[in-house]
Amino acid sequence: MEQNTTSKYYQEALEEYRELCKDEEDAWDKRIDKTGCYVENMALQLCHAETNDWRKCLGEMALFRKCWDSKGNRDRVSTVDRK
């Protein structure tokens, strides 16, 4: 499946991220931003919020997964101490 960085959700998320960078982030946004996949995560969330169906967001999901894996996040979360 081809990665769709031109989806309306991705573009909306990118614009939101640019605005967020101008403002002070809250703790949740900082955690997501540190993954390096903030825009991809937001695009997936926007898609699901609008469609209410994950199956309609497969492109956004694939883009997020690719970003997540490419940034080494799979290794990072396995080291988190879960108390």
Side-chain angles (χ1 to χ4, degrees):
M1 179 183 304
E2 186 173 315
Q3 306 306 319
N4 188 2
T5 58
T6 60
S7 80
K8 73 175 189 171
Y9 304 112
Y10 186 88
Q11 294 304 313
E12 189 177 336
L14 186 58
E15 184 60 33
E16 186 170 321
Y17 181 69
R18 288 178 180 146
E19 289 298 316
L20 179 73
C21 289
K22 294 177 188 176
D23 300 329
E24 188 173 319
E25 296 177 304
D26 66 15
W28 176 255
D29 287 332
K30 285 180 185 177
R31 289 180 66 195
I32 299 299
D33 194 25
K34 286 180 182 180
T35 69
C37 300
Y38 186 93
V39 174
E40 293 79 2
N41 177 69
M42 181 57 64
L44 180 55
Q45 298 303 317
L46 290 169
C47 179
H48 182 257
E50 184 171 302
T51 65
N52 203 28
D53 185 350
W54 289 110
R55 295 170 294 183
K56 294 180 180 177
C57 304
L58 296 179
E60 288 78 13
M61 193 175 296
L63 191 61
F64 175 76
R65 168 75 63 179
K66 181 178 180 183
C67 179
W68 185 263
D69 290 343
S70 72
K71 303 289 184 182
N73 288 303
R74 188 177 299 265
D75 296 331
R76 184 181 66 85
V77 292
S78 68
T79 63
V80 174
D81 184 18
R82 300 175 194 234
K83 294 182 179 179

Coordinates of all heavy atoms in Angstrom, one line a residue:
M1 N 0.8 -1.2 0.0 CA 0.0 0.0 0.0 C 0.9 1.2 0.0 O 1.8 1.4 0.8 CB -0.9 0.0 1.2 CG -1.8 1.2 1.3 SD -2.8 1.3 2.8 CE -3.6 -0.3 2.8
E2 N 0.6 2.2 -0.9 CA 1.4 3.4 -1.0 C 1.1 4.3 0.2 O 0.0 4.5 0.6 CB 1.1 4.1 -2.3 CG 2.0 5.3 -2.6 CD 1.8 5.8 -3.9 OE1 1.8 5.0 -4.9 OE2 1.7 7.1 -4.0
Q3 N 2.1 5.0 0.7 CA 2.0 5.9 1.8 C 1.4 7.2 1.3 O 1.9 7.7 0.3 CB 3.3 6.2 2.5 CG 4.0 4.9 3.0 CD 3.2 4.0 3.8 OE1 2.5 4.5 4.7 NE2 3.3 2.7 3.6
N4 N 0.3 7.7 2.0 CA -0.4 8.8 1.4 C -0.2 10.0 2.3 O -0.9 10.3 3.3 CB -1.9 8.5 1.3 CG -2.6 9.6 0.6 OD1 -2.1 10.6 0.2 ND2 -3.9 9.4 0.5
T5 N 0.9 10.8 2.1 CA 1.2 12.0 2.8 C 0.4 13.2 2.3 O 0.5 14.3 2.8 CB 2.7 12.4 2.8 OG1 3.1 12.5 1.5 CG2 3.5 11.3 3.5
T6 N -0.5 13.0 1.3 CA -1.3 14.0 0.8 C -2.8 13.8 1.2 O -3.6 14.6 0.7 CB -1.2 14.1 -0.8 OG1 -1.6 12.8 -1.3 CG2 0.2 14.4 -1.2
S7 N -3.0 12.9 2.1 CA -4.4 12.7 2.5 C -4.8 14.0 3.3 O -4.0 14.7 3.8 CB -4.6 11.5 3.4 OG -4.1 11.8 4.7
K8 N -6.1 14.3 3.2 CA -6.6 15.5 3.9 C -6.3 15.4 5.4 O -6.0 16.4 6.0 CB -8.1 15.7 3.7 CG -9.0 14.7 4.4 CD -10.5 15.1 4.1 CE -11.4 14.3 5.0 NZ -12.8 14.8 5.0
Y9 N -6.3 14.2 6.0 CA -6.0 14.1 7.4 C -4.5 14.4 7.7 O -4.2 15.1 8.7 CB -6.3 12.7 7.9 CG -7.8 12.3 7.6 CD1 -8.1 11.3 6.7 CD2 -8.8 13.0 8.3 CE1 -9.4 11.0 6.5 CE2 -10.1 12.7 8.0 CZ -10.4 11.7 7.1 OH -11.7 11.4 6.9
Y10 N -3.6 13.9 6.8 CA -2.2 14.2 7.0 C -2.0 15.7 6.9 O -1.2 16.3 7.7 CB -1.4 13.5 6.0 CG 0.1 13.6 6.2 CD1 0.8 12.7 7.1 CD2 0.8 14.6 5.6 CE1 2.1 12.9 7.3 CE2 2.2 14.8 5.9 CZ 2.8 13.9 6.7 OH 4.2 14.1 7.0
Q11 N -2.6 16.3 5.9 CA -2.4 17.8 5.7 C -2.9 18.6 6.9 O -2.3 19.5 7.3 CB -3.0 18.2 4.4 CG -2.3 17.6 3.1 CD -0.8 17.9 3.1 OE1 -0.4 19.1 3.3 NE2 0.0 16.9 2.8
E12 N -4.1 18.2 7.4 CA -4.7 18.8 8.5 C -3.8 18.7 9.8 O -3.6 19.6 10.5 CB -6.1 18.3 8.8 CG -6.9 19.0 9.8 CD -8.3 18.5 9.9 OE1 -8.8 17.8 9.0 OE2 -8.8 18.6 11.0
A13 N -3.3 17.5 9.9 CA -2.4 17.2 11.1 C -1.1 18.0 11.0 O -0.6 18.5 12.0 CB -2.1 15.7 11.1
L14 N -0.6 18.1 9.8 CA 0.7 18.9 9.6 C 0.5 20.3 9.9 O 1.3 20.9 10.6 CB 1.1 18.7 8.1 CG 2.5 19.3 7.8 CD1 3.6 18.7 8.6 CD2 2.8 19.1 6.3
E15 N -0.7 20.9 9.5 CA -1.0 22.3 9.9 C -1.2 22.4 11.4 O -0.7 23.4 12.0 CB -2.3 22.7 9.1 CG -2.6 24.2 9.4 CD -1.5 25.1 8.9 OE1 -0.8 24.8 7.9 OE2 -1.3 26.2 9.5
E16 N -1.8 21.5 12.0 CA -2.0 21.5 13.5 C -0.7 21.4 14.2 O -0.4 22.1 15.2 CB -2.9 20.4 13.9 CG -3.2 20.5 15.4 CD -4.3 19.5 15.8 OE1 -5.3 19.4 15.1 OE2 -4.2 19.0 16.9
Y17 N 0.2 20.6 13.7 CA 1.6 20.5 14.3 C 2.3 21.8 14.1 O 3.0 22.2 15.1 CB 2.3 19.3 13.6 CG 3.7 19.1 14.2 CD1 3.8 18.6 15.5 CD2 4.8 19.4 13.4 CE1 5.1 18.4 16.0 CE2 6.1 19.2 14.0 CZ 6.2 18.7 15.2 OH 7.5 18.5 15.8
R18 N 2.3 22.4 13.0 CA 3.0 23.7 12.8 C 2.4 24.7 13.8 O 3.2 25.5 14.4 CB 2.8 24.2 11.4 CG 3.6 23.4 10.4 CD 3.3 23.9 9.0 NE 4.1 23.1 8.0 CZ 3.7 22.8 6.8 NH1 2.5 23.2 6.4 NH2 4.4 22.0 6.0
E19 N 1.1 24.8 14.0 CA 0.6 25.7 15.0 C 1.0 25.3 16.4 O 1.3 26.1 17.3 CB -1.0 25.7 14.9 CG -1.5 26.3 13.7 CD -1.1 27.8 13.6 OE1 -1.2 28.5 14.7 OE2 -0.7 28.2 12.5
L20 N 1.0 24.0 16.7 CA 1.4 23.5 18.0 C 2.9 23.9 18.3 O 3.2 24.3 19.5 CB 1.3 22.0 18.1 CG 1.7 21.3 19.4 CD1 0.7 21.6 20.5 CD2 1.9 19.8 19.2
C21 N 3.7 23.9 17.3 CA 5.1 24.2 17.5 C 5.3 25.7 17.9 O 6.3 26.1 18.6 CB 5.9 23.9 16.3 SG 6.2 22.2 16.0
K22 N 4.3 26.5 17.6 CA 4.4 27.9 18.0 C 4.0 28.1 19.4 O 4.4 29.1 20.1 CB 3.4 28.7 17.1 CG 3.8 28.8 15.6 CD 2.7 29.5 14.8 CE 3.0 29.4 13.3 NZ 1.9 30.1 12.6
D23 N 3.2 27.2 19.9 CA 2.7 27.3 21.3 C 3.4 26.4 22.2 O 4.2 25.5 21.7 CB 1.2 26.9 21.4 CG 0.3 27.8 20.5 OD1 0.6 29.0 20.3 OD2 -0.7 27.3 20.0
E24 N 3.2 26.5 23.5 CA 3.8 25.6 24.4 C 3.0 24.3 24.5 O 1.8 24.3 24.6 CB 3.8 26.2 25.8 CG 4.6 25.4 26.8 CD 4.8 26.1 28.2 OE1 5.0 27.3 28.1 OE2 4.7 25.4 29.2
E25 N 3.7 23.2 24.3 CA 3.1 21.9 24.3 C 2.7 21.4 25.7 O 3.4 21.7 26.6 CB 4.0 20.8 23.7 CG 4.3 21.1 22.2 CD 5.3 20.0 21.7 OE1 6.4 19.9 22.4 OE2 5.0 19.3 20.8
D26 N 1.6 20.7 25.8 CA 1.3 20.0 27.1 C 2.1 18.7 27.1 O 2.7 18.3 26.2 CB -0.2 19.8 27.2 CG -0.8 18.8 26.3 OD1 -0.1 18.0 25.6 OD2 -2.1 18.8 26.2
A27 N 2.0 18.1 28.3 CA 2.8 16.9 28.5 C 2.5 15.7 27.5 O 3.4 15.1 27.0 CB 2.6 16.3 29.9
W28 N 1.2 15.5 27.2 CA 0.9 14.5 26.2 C 1.5 14.8 24.9 O 2.1 13.9 24.2 CB -0.6 14.4 26.1 CG -1.0 13.4 25.1 CD1 -1.6 13.7 23.9 CD2 -0.9 11.9 25.2 NE1 -1.8 12.5 23.2 CE2 -1.4 11.4 24.0 CE3 -0.5 11.1 26.1 CZ2 -1.5 10.1 23.7 CZ3 -0.5 9.7 25.9 CH2 -1.0 9.2 24.7
D29 N 1.3 16.0 24.4 CA 1.9 16.4 23.1 C 3.4 16.3 23.1 O 3.9 15.8 22.1 CB 1.5 17.8 22.7 CG 0.0 18.0 22.4 OD1 -0.6 17.0 21.9 OD2 -0.6 19.1 22.6
K30 N 4.1 16.6 24.2 CA 5.5 16.4 24.2 C 5.9 14.9 24.1 O 6.8 14.6 23.3 CB 6.1 16.9 25.5 CG 6.1 18.4 25.6 CD 6.7 18.9 27.0 CE 6.6 20.4 27.1 NZ 7.1 20.8 28.4
R31 N 5.2 14.1 24.7 CA 5.4 12.6 24.6 C 5.3 12.1 23.2 O 6.1 11.4 22.7 CB 4.6 11.8 25.6 CG 4.9 12.0 27.0 CD 4.0 11.2 27.9 NE 4.2 9.8 27.7 CZ 3.4 8.9 28.2 NH1 2.3 9.2 28.8 NH2 3.7 7.6 28.0
I32 N 4.2 12.5 22.5 CA 3.9 12.1 21.2 C 5.0 12.7 20.2 O 5.5 12.1 19.3 CB 2.5 12.5 20.7 CG1 1.5 11.9 21.6 CG2 2.3 12.2 19.2 CD1 1.4 10.4 21.5
D33 N 5.3 14.0 20.5 CA 6.3 14.7 19.6 C 7.7 14.0 19.7 O 8.4 13.8 18.7 CB 6.4 16.1 20.0 CG 7.2 16.9 19.0 OD1 7.2 16.6 17.8 OD2 7.7 18.0 19.4
K34 N 8.1 13.5 20.9 CA 9.3 12.8 21.0 C 9.4 11.5 20.2 O 10.5 11.0 20.0 CB 9.6 12.5 22.5 CG 10.0 13.7 23.3 CD 10.2 13.4 24.8 CE 10.6 14.7 25.5 NZ 10.8 14.4 26.9
T35 N 8.3 10.9 19.8 CA 8.3 9.7 19.0 C 8.8 10.0 17.6 O 9.2 9.1 16.9 CB 7.0 9.0 18.9 OG1 6.1 9.8 18.2 CG2 6.4 8.7 20.3
G36 N 8.7 11.3 17.2 CA 9.0 11.7 15.8 C 7.9 11.5 14.9 O 8.0 11.6 13.7
C37 N 6.7 11.0 15.4 CA 5.6 10.7 14.5 C 4.3 11.5 14.9 O 3.2 10.9 14.8 CB 5.3 9.2 14.6 SG 6.7 8.2 14.1
Y38 N 4.5 12.7 15.4 CA 3.3 13.5 15.8 C 2.3 13.6 14.7 O 1.1 13.4 14.9 CB 3.8 14.8 16.4 CG 2.6 15.6 17.0 CD1 2.4 15.5 18.3 CD2 1.8 16.4 16.2 CE1 1.3 16.2 18.9 CE2 0.8 17.1 16.7 CZ 0.5 17.0 18.1 OH -0.5 17.7 18.6
V39 N 2.8 14.1 13.5 CA 1.9 14.3 12.4 C 1.2 13.1 12.0 O 0.0 13.1 11.8 CB 2.6 15.0 11.2 CG1 1.7 15.2 10.0 CG2 3.2 16.3 11.7
E40 N 1.9 12.0 11.9 CA 1.3 10.7 11.5 C 0.3 10.2 12.5 O -0.8 9.7 12.1 CB 2.4 9.6 11.3 CG 3.3 9.9 10.1 CD 4.4 10.9 10.4 OE1 4.5 11.5 11.5 OE2 5.2 11.2 9.5
N41 N 0.6 10.4 13.8 CA -0.4 10.0 14.8 C -1.6 10.9 14.8 O -2.7 10.4 14.8 CB 0.3 10.2 16.2 CG -0.7 9.9 17.3 OD1 -1.1 8.8 17.6 ND2 -1.0 10.9 18.1
M42 N -1.4 12.2 14.6 CA -2.6 13.1 14.5 C -3.4 12.8 13.3 O -4.7 12.8 13.4 CB -2.1 14.5 14.5 CG -3.2 15.6 14.5 SD -4.4 15.4 15.9 CE -3.4 15.8 17.2
A43 N -2.8 12.5 12.2 CA -3.6 12.2 11.0 C -4.5 11.0 11.2 O -5.6 10.9 10.8 CB -2.6 12.0 9.8
L44 N -3.9 10.0 11.9 CA -4.7 8.8 12.2 C -5.8 9.1 13.1 O -6.9 8.6 12.9 CB -3.7 7.7 12.8 CG -4.4 6.4 13.2 CD1 -5.1 5.7 12.0 CD2 -3.3 5.5 13.7
Q45 N -5.6 9.9 14.1 CA -6.6 10.3 15.1 C -7.7 11.1 14.4 O -8.9 10.9 14.6 CB -6.0 11.1 16.2 CG -5.0 10.3 17.1 CD -5.6 9.0 17.6 OE1 -6.7 9.0 18.1 NE2 -4.8 8.0 17.5
L46 N -7.3 12.0 13.5 CA -8.3 12.8 12.8 C -9.2 12.0 11.9 O -10.4 12.2 11.8 CB -7.6 13.9 12.0 CG -7.0 15.0 12.8 CD1 -6.1 15.9 11.9 CD2 -8.0 15.9 13.5
C47 N -8.5 11.0 11.2 CA -9.3 10.1 10.3 C -10.3 9.3 11.1 O -11.5 9.3 10.7 CB -8.3 9.2 9.6 SG -9.2 8.0 8.5
H48 N -9.9 8.8 12.2 CA -10.8 7.9 13.0 C -11.9 8.8 13.6 O -13.1 8.4 13.6 CB -10.0 7.2 14.1 CG -10.9 6.3 14.9 ND1 -11.4 6.7 16.1 CD2 -11.5 5.1 14.6 CE1 -12.2 5.7 16.6 NE2 -12.3 4.8 15.7
A49 N -11.6 10.0 14.0 CA -12.6 10.9 14.6 C -13.7 11.2 13.6 O -14.9 11.3 13.9 CB -11.9 12.2 15.2
E50 N -13.3 11.4 12.4 CA -14.2 11.8 11.3 C -15.0 10.6 10.8 O -16.2 10.7 10.6 CB -13.5 12.5 10.2 CG -14.5 13.0 9.1 CD -13.9 13.8 8.1 OE1 -13.3 14.9 8.5 OE2 -14.0 13.5 6.9
T51 N -14.3 9.5 10.6 CA -15.0 8.3 10.0 C -15.6 7.3 11.0 O -16.5 6.6 10.7 CB -14.0 7.5 9.1 OG1 -13.0 7.0 10.0 CG2 -13.4 8.4 8.1
N52 N -15.1 7.4 12.2 CA -15.5 6.4 13.3 C -15.3 5.0 12.9 O -16.0 4.1 13.3 CB -16.9 6.7 13.8 CG -17.2 6.2 15.2 OD1 -16.2 6.1 16.0 ND2 -18.4 5.8 15.4
D53 N -14.3 4.7 12.0 CA -14.1 3.4 11.5 C -12.6 3.3 11.1 O -12.1 3.9 10.1 CB -14.9 3.2 10.2 CG -14.8 1.7 9.7 OD1 -14.0 1.0 10.2 OD2 -15.6 1.4 8.8
W54 N -11.8 2.5 11.9 CA -10.4 2.3 11.7 C -10.1 1.8 10.3 O -9.1 2.1 9.7 CB -9.8 1.4 12.7 CG -9.7 2.0 14.1 CD1 -10.4 1.7 15.2 CD2 -8.8 3.1 14.5 NE1 -10.0 2.5 16.2 CE2 -9.0 3.4 15.8 CE3 -7.8 3.8 13.8 CZ2 -8.4 4.3 16.5 CZ3 -7.2 4.8 14.5 CH2 -7.4 5.1 15.8
R55 N -11.1 1.0 9.8 CA -10.9 0.4 8.4 C -10.8 1.4 7.3 O -10.2 1.1 6.3 CB -12.0 -0.6 8.1 CG -12.0 -1.8 9.1 CD -13.2 -2.6 8.9 NE -14.4 -1.8 9.4 CZ -15.6 -2.2 9.4 NH1 -15.9 -3.4 9.0 NH2 -16.6 -1.4 9.8
K56 N -11.3 2.6 7.6 CA -11.3 3.6 6.6 C -10.0 4.5 6.7 O -9.8 5.4 5.9 CB -12.5 4.5 6.7 CG -13.8 3.8 6.3 CD -15.0 4.7 6.5 CE -16.3 3.9 6.1 NZ -17.5 4.8 6.3
C57 N -9.2 4.1 7.6 CA -8.0 4.9 7.9 C -6.7 4.0 7.7 O -5.7 4.3 8.3 CB -8.0 5.4 9.4 SG -9.5 6.4 9.7
L58 N -6.8 3.0 6.9 CA -5.7 2.1 6.7 C -4.4 2.8 6.1 O -3.3 2.5 6.5 CB -6.1 0.9 5.8 CG -7.1 0.0 6.4 CD1 -7.5 -1.1 5.4 CD2 -6.7 -0.5 7.7
G59 N -4.6 3.8 5.3 CA -3.5 4.5 4.7 C -2.8 5.3 5.8 O -1.5 5.3 5.9
E60 N -3.5 6.0 6.7 CA -3.0 6.7 7.8 C -2.3 5.8 8.8 O -1.3 6.1 9.3 CB -4.1 7.6 8.5 CG -4.5 8.8 7.7 CD -5.5 8.4 6.5 OE1 -6.0 7.3 6.5 OE2 -5.7 9.3 5.7
M61 N -2.9 4.6 9.0 CA -2.4 3.7 9.9 C -1.0 3.1 9.4 O -0.1 3.0 10.2 CB -3.4 2.5 10.1 CG -3.0 1.6 11.3 SD -4.2 0.4 11.6 CE -5.7 1.3 12.1
A62 N -1.0 2.9 8.1 CA 0.3 2.4 7.5 C 1.4 3.4 7.6 O 2.5 3.1 7.9 CB 0.0 1.9 6.1
L63 N 1.0 4.7 7.4 CA 2.0 5.8 7.5 C 2.5 5.9 8.9 O 3.7 6.1 9.1 CB 1.3 7.1 7.0 CG 2.2 8.3 6.8 CD1 3.2 8.0 5.7 CD2 1.4 9.5 6.4
F64 N 1.6 5.8 9.9 CA 2.0 5.9 11.3 C 3.0 4.7 11.6 O 4.0 4.9 12.2 CB 0.8 5.9 12.2 CG 1.2 5.8 13.6 CD1 1.7 7.0 14.3 CD2 1.1 4.7 14.4 CE1 2.1 6.9 15.6 CE2 1.5 4.6 15.7 CZ 2.0 5.8 16.3
R65 N 2.6 3.5 11.2 CA 3.4 2.3 11.5 C 4.8 2.5 10.9 O 5.8 2.2 11.5 CB 2.7 1.1 10.9 CG 3.6 -0.2 10.9 CD 3.8 -0.8 12.2 NE 2.5 -1.2 12.8 CZ 2.3 -1.8 13.9 NH1 3.4 -2.1 14.6 NH2 1.2 -2.2 14.4
K66 N 4.9 2.9 9.6 CA 6.2 3.1 9.0 C 7.0 4.1 9.7 O 8.2 3.9 10.0 CB 6.0 3.6 7.5 CG 7.2 3.7 6.8 CD 7.0 4.1 5.3 CE 8.3 4.3 4.6 NZ 8.1 4.7 3.2
C67 N 6.4 5.2 10.1 CA 7.1 6.2 10.9 C 7.6 5.7 12.2 O 8.7 5.8 12.6 CB 6.2 7.5 11.1 SG 7.1 8.8 12.1
W68 N 6.7 5.0 12.9 CA 7.0 4.4 14.3 C 8.2 3.5 14.2 O 9.1 3.6 15.0 CB 5.7 3.7 14.8 CG 5.9 3.2 16.2 CD1 6.2 1.9 16.5 CD2 5.6 3.9 17.4 NE1 6.2 1.8 17.9 CE2 5.9 3.0 18.4 CE3 5.3 5.2 17.7 CZ2 5.8 3.4 19.8 CZ3 5.1 5.6 19.0 CH2 5.4 4.7 20.0
D69 N 8.2 2.6 13.2 CA 9.2 1.7 13.1 C 10.5 2.3 12.6 O 11.6 2.0 13.2 CB 8.9 0.6 12.1 CG 7.8 -0.4 12.6 OD1 7.5 -0.4 13.8 OD2 7.1 -1.1 11.8
S70 N 10.5 3.3 11.7 CA 11.7 3.9 11.2 C 12.4 4.8 12.3 O 13.6 5.0 12.2 CB 11.3 4.8 10.0 OG 10.6 6.0 10.4
K71 N 11.6 5.3 13.3 CA 12.2 6.1 14.3 C 12.7 5.3 15.5 O 13.2 5.8 16.5 CB 11.2 7.1 14.8 CG 10.6 8.0 13.8 CD 11.6 9.0 13.3 CE 11.0 9.9 12.3 NZ 11.9 10.9 11.7
G72 N 12.6 3.9 15.4 CA 13.1 3.1 16.5 C 12.2 3.1 17.7 O 12.6 2.7 18.8
N73 N 10.9 3.4 17.6 CA 10.0 3.5 18.8 C 9.7 2.2 19.3 O 9.4 2.1 20.5 CB 8.8 4.3 18.4 CG 9.1 5.8 18.3 OD1 9.6 6.4 19.2 ND2 8.8 6.3 17.1
R74 N 9.7 1.1 18.5 CA 9.4 -0.2 19.0 C 10.4 -0.6 20.1 O 10.0 -1.1 21.2 CB 9.4 -1.2 17.9 CG 9.0 -2.6 18.3 CD 9.0 -3.5 17.0 NE 8.1 -3.0 16.0 CZ 6.8 -3.5 15.8 NH1 6.3 -4.3 16.6 NH2 6.1 -3.0 14.8
D75 N 11.7 -0.2 19.9 CA 12.7 -0.5 20.9 C 12.6 0.4 22.1 O 12.8 0.0 23.2 CB 14.1 -0.3 20.3 CG 14.4 -1.3 19.2 OD1 13.8 -2.4 19.2 OD2 15.1 -1.0 18.3
R76 N 12.2 1.6 21.9 CA 12.1 2.6 22.9 C 11.0 2.2 23.9 O 11.2 2.3 25.1 CB 11.8 4.0 22.4 CG 11.7 5.1 23.4 CD 11.4 6.5 22.7 NE 10.1 6.5 22.2 CZ 9.0 6.8 22.9 NH1 9.1 7.0 24.2 NH2 7.8 6.8 22.4
V77 N 9.8 1.8 23.5 CA 8.8 1.5 24.4 C 9.0 0.2 25.1 O 8.4 0.0 26.2 CB 7.4 1.5 23.7 CG1 7.0 2.9 23.3 CG2 7.3 0.6 22.6
S78 N 9.8 -0.7 24.6 CA 10.1 -1.9 25.3 C 11.0 -1.7 26.5 O 11.0 -2.5 27.4 CB 10.7 -2.9 24.3 OG 12.0 -2.5 24.0
T79 N 11.6 -0.5 26.6 CA 12.5 -0.2 27.7 C 11.8 0.6 28.8 O 12.3 0.9 29.8 CB 13.7 0.6 27.2 OG1 13.3 1.8 26.7 CG2 14.5 -0.2 26.2
V80 N 10.5 1.0 28.6 CA 9.8 1.7 29.5 C 9.4 0.9 30.7 O 8.9 -0.2 30.6 CB 8.5 2.3 28.9 CG1 7.6 3.0 29.9 CG2 8.8 3.3 27.8
D81 N 9.7 1.4 31.9 CA 9.4 0.7 33.2 C 7.9 0.8 33.4 O 7.4 1.9 33.7 CB 10.2 1.3 34.3 CG 10.0 0.5 35.6 OD1 9.6 -0.6 35.6 OD2 10.3 1.1 36.7
R82 N 7.2 -0.3 33.4 CA 5.7 -0.3 33.6 C 5.4 -0.7 35.0 O 5.3 -1.8 35.3 CB 5.1 -1.2 32.6 CG 5.4 -0.7 31.2 CD 4.8 -1.7 30.2 NE 5.4 -1.4 28.9 CZ 4.7 -1.1 27.8 NH1 3.4 -1.2 27.8 NH2 5.3 -0.8 26.7
K83 N 5.3 0.3 35.9 CA 5.0 0.0 37.3 C 3.5 0.0 37.5 O 2.7 0.6 36.9 CB 5.6 1.1 38.2 CG 7.1 1.0 38.1 CD 7.7 2.1 39.0 CE 9.3 1.9 38.9 NZ 9.9 2.9 39.7

